[in-house]
Amino acid sequence: MNILKNFSVPNLCDAGAIPLKDIKPILENQKLIFGEVITVKINYDDWGTLIKSISFAKNKIIVVEVVGEKKYETAVWGGLASLNAKIKGVRGVVIDGCVRDLEDIKSLKFPVFAKNFCPNAGKPLNCGKINVPITCGNVLVNPGDIAVGDYNGVAIIKKENLQEIIENVKYIKEKEKKIKERILRGDDLRDILKLE
């Protein structure tokens, strides 16, 4: 899986990874992160389950489905959660919902991807579920899938498709390299792609 560090999220989407709709990085110039997914499903007013999941997520990426009509109006993640996750070795968090404490997240340089941000939060109810199938960014995500995120957004690679996508992306990257070389030699992209 370490080979993924050589590719961008757009490269991987071209190769068959599935992009999460409207999920964006909080950090400007977010560097590439990738890892096995631990999933969390919570109600919009319950951040307790998400905090609990940190204990199970070392070297993994937490991917979260938030449910309820106020899911884009109530934050389920913030600065203290980011600090704890960073210290515990979590690679990043992806939330189809809201986060807050952006200044803390940015100063920690902890990779957080979310649909939105807002200042108010719910409670530590701990009523959600960990490691169940979820929907995040309109994509079905299972525990053990691979999440890849960078400045462009986040994509999911189904674990059963990982090898095929790696082979596809190597071919795509090599093809792009040759096209770039031709452009630098003065060829027009329109001609290279044979666009009439």
Side-chain angles (χ1 to χ4, degrees), residues 9-95:
V9 171
N11 289 153
L12 290 161
C13 286
D14 289 349
I18 308 163
L20 300 186
K21 185 176 188 229
D22 297 330
I23 307 292
K24 308 286 189 226
I26 296 299
L27 300 180
E28 289 125 12
N29 301 317
Q30 171 65 60
K31 291 186 164 67
L32 183 82
I33 64 160
F34 60 91
E36 188 179 321
V37 164
I38 179 170
T39 59
V40 179
K41 185 170 185 172
I42 54 172
N43 201 40
Y44 73 89
D45 59 350
D46 172 22
W47 48 261
T49 306
L50 189 44
I51 298 305
K52 182 178 164 186
S53 75
I54 293 170
S55 303
F56 310 106
K58 184 172 183 178
N59 293 321
K60 295 184 180 181
I61 295 175
I62 302 170
V63 180
V64 186
E65 176 182 2
V66 182
V67 296
E69 61 182 33
K70 295 186 179 177
K71 70 187 228 169
Y72 300 128
E73 300 170 26
T74 308
V76 295
W77 187 269
L80 294 176
S82 296
L83 176 61
N84 191 51
K86 183 171 184 173
I87 288 170
K88 296 294 182 183
V90 178
R91 292 191 177 191
V93 64
V94 178
I95 301 173

Side-chain angles (χ1 to χ4, degrees), residues 101-178:
D101 303 328
L102 301 191
E103 68 282 7
D104 294 336
I105 292 169
K106 288 178 180 180
S107 70
L108 286 165
K109 296 185 175 158
F110 182 72
V112 175
F113 301 80
K115 178 84 175 257
N116 206 348
F117 56 87
C118 64
N120 54 304
K123 301 179 180 71
L125 300 176
N126 192 23
C127 299
K129 295 180 180 173
I130 297 171
N131 267 347
V132 295
I134 63 167
T135 300
C136 182
N138 289 0
V139 174
L140 176 65
V141 183
N142 290 301
D145 286 343
I146 310 302
V148 187
D150 67 10
Y151 187 67
N152 299 282
V154 182
I156 297 294
I157 301 172
K158 299 297 180 183
K159 55 186 167 187
E160 62 270 20
N161 298 336
L162 179 59
Q163 280 314 120
E164 178 188 355
I165 286 174
I166 287 172
E167 290 310 309
N168 289 346
V169 79
K170 286 195 283 193
Y171 170 78
I172 288 166
K173 189 82 170 175
E174 187 58 33
K175 186 176 173 186
E176 281 190 358
K177 181 181 167 195
K178 289 177 181 170

Side-chain angles (χ1 to χ4, degrees), residues 174-196:
E174 187 58 33
K175 186 176 173 186
E176 281 190 358
K177 181 181 167 195
K178 289 177 181 170
I179 291 171
K180 186 176 180 182
E181 287 168 356
R182 287 185 62 185
I183 292 170
L184 290 170
R185 286 197 307 264
D187 290 351
D188 193 287
L189 183 59
R190 181 182 133 180
D191 296 332
I192 296 168
L193 300 178
K194 298 181 170 62
L195 301 175
E196 296 299 327

